[in-house]
Amino acid sequence: MATFFVLLGLFLGPALSVDIFMAEPYSGEQEGAEPCLRLCVGTTGLSSPWSWYSSDGIYMDISLEKCNFESGLTPIITTVVAGNSGHWVVQGGSSVYNPTSEGFRIYLRYPYSGIHSLYSPNQWRIEW
């Protein structure tokens, strides 16, 4: 059974990206690009710039430019809504819209009134 080695390279900045290269059983004699998986994690931060969408909804455009994904390829994006309170009932936090190598959009809907007075004091943010 072949042994797989994983080499990690870290890029530290506002977003953290990790390149994982498969060193074995890859051989330089094979055609094509070296197998690689790029992971990029980040957060919109505690003072997230939400925009008004409707009386019960907000949205945010999130940049992935610092992740340096290859242009033209769409990354797989997984998101979560984090915060201090009330975010457990919000809808849409894992629904990614318009994903590209440069960014994506998230819409949040709060099924009760008051989303516009809740997201800022409760520090709602998107983590990916």
Side-chain angles (χ1 to χ4, degrees):
M1 178 175 226
T3 303
F4 290 88
F5 297 95
V6 178
L7 306 173
L8 299 177
L10 299 178
F11 170 80
L12 299 176
L16 173 67
S17 73
V18 177
D19 289 334
I20 301 175
F21 297 97
M22 298 305 294
E24 290 292 337
Y26 178 80
S27 152
E29 296 156 2
Q30 293 173 310
E31 291 186 29
E34 180 177 354
C36 175
L37 171 69
R38 172 163 286 202
L39 301 177
C40 183
V41 297
T43 181
T44 56
L46 298 179
S47 57
S48 302
W50 293 101
S51 298
W52 179 285
Y53 177 70
S54 67
S55 61
D56 61 352
I58 53 178
Y59 75 93
M60 184 186 315
D61 291 318
I62 299 169
S63 174
L64 296 177
E65 290 181 15
K66 295 194 185 267
C67 297
N68 294 318
F69 289 123
E70 187 174 326
S71 180
L73 297 178
T74 303
I76 297 171
I77 301 168
T78 303
T79 62
V80 63
V81 179
N84 295 334
S85 181
H87 59 288
W88 65 274
V89 74
V90 76
Q91 300 167 341
S94 61
S95 300
V96 174
Y97 288 82
N98 307 319
T100 69
S101 61
E102 296 166 0
F104 61 96
R105 178 175 282 190
I106 289 284
Y107 291 91
L108 296 184
R109 180 180 175 272
Y110 193 69
Y112 311 106
S113 63
I115 190 169
H116 299 285
S117 63
L118 290 174
Y119 67 85
S120 185
N122 290 307
Q123 299 177 333
W124 290 359
R125 59 197 177 275
I126 299 297
E127 296 183 353
W128 72 93

